[in-house]
Amino acid sequence: MSKKDNGAGVILAYLNEKNRPYSAQDVFSNLQKQHGLGKTAVVKAMELLALEGKIKEKIYGKQKIYFADQAQFKDVNDADLKAIDHQISELSEEVQSLTQSCRQLDAELKELNSSLTTEEMVSEIQELKAECSGYRARLEKIKSASNHITPEEKDKVYKERDLYVKEWKKRKRLASDMTNAILEGYPKSKKEFLEEVGVETDEDCKVVPPNT
């Protein structure tokens, strides 16, 4: 870009290539990064191009819109328009297909990234083998023990447990009934009574009868 045309050549080429309406702000935003154009220079260059008839200018309220001179482009007949529409349709289908493929590849990539590497799998297999070996040794130790109880002995233990739990609940209920009967004529609170007679409740010991 020469300093003499102040970016006019770049702007003219850009508008002819895109062939769509732009404001000066649009052109500045699109070209300033690549070509280093200042906003004031863009505004002046577009006004000069319009004054010279190289581009067209339309005013909508307070905004000016610029676009390429359509006279420089050849007329497009219906057949050409249909061909363009067909090409757009084919390209749209291709874009849709490629987008779907990209999504599938992205999903596969995420799955692969979340999978274990070969080294990690080998390490995990070794850890699992060591863990299994420990379980086998523990199982053999249990099997070889001589202090196993018979099913009959086990059943007897559970029955005795149920008996003791039922007796616990029965005695707790009787003690509660007796205490309530005494408290009907006792001038102090239940807590004070229990402290006076030296009774510790299940709640004091933070225990509850288990389920039978």
Side-chain angles (χ1 to χ4, degrees), residues 122-138:
V122 170
S123 176
E124 185 167 345
I125 289 172
Q126 291 175 346
E127 291 178 2
L128 289 173
K129 285 182 177 179
E131 189 175 352
C132 288
S133 179
Y135 288 143
R136 288 193 189 98
R138 183 179 176 187

Side-chain angles (χ1 to χ4, degrees), residues 11-20 54-55 67-69 72-73:
I11 294 172
L12 177 60
Y14 178 75
L15 291 177
N16 287 336
E17 177 189 356
K18 299 301 181 182
N19 194 21
R20 54 163 292 181
K54 295 180 179 179
I55 61 174
F67 52 92
D69 183 5
Q72 65 182 308
F73 303 113

Side-chain angles (χ1 to χ4, degrees), residues 17-59:
E17 177 189 356
K18 299 301 181 182
N19 194 21
R20 54 163 292 181
Y22 287 104
S23 66
Q25 178 62 44
D26 294 333
V27 174
F28 165 70
S29 299
N30 296 339
L31 298 181
Q32 64 95 15
K33 186 175 181 180
Q34 182 178 359
H35 298 281
L37 299 176
K39 186 174 181 180
T40 301
V42 170
V43 172
K44 290 182 178 180
M46 296 184 75
E47 289 177 347
L48 178 61
L49 289 170
L51 185 64
E52 294 175 348
K54 295 180 179 179
I55 61 174
K56 297 298 181 180
E57 176 188 271
K58 291 287 185 180
I59 299 176

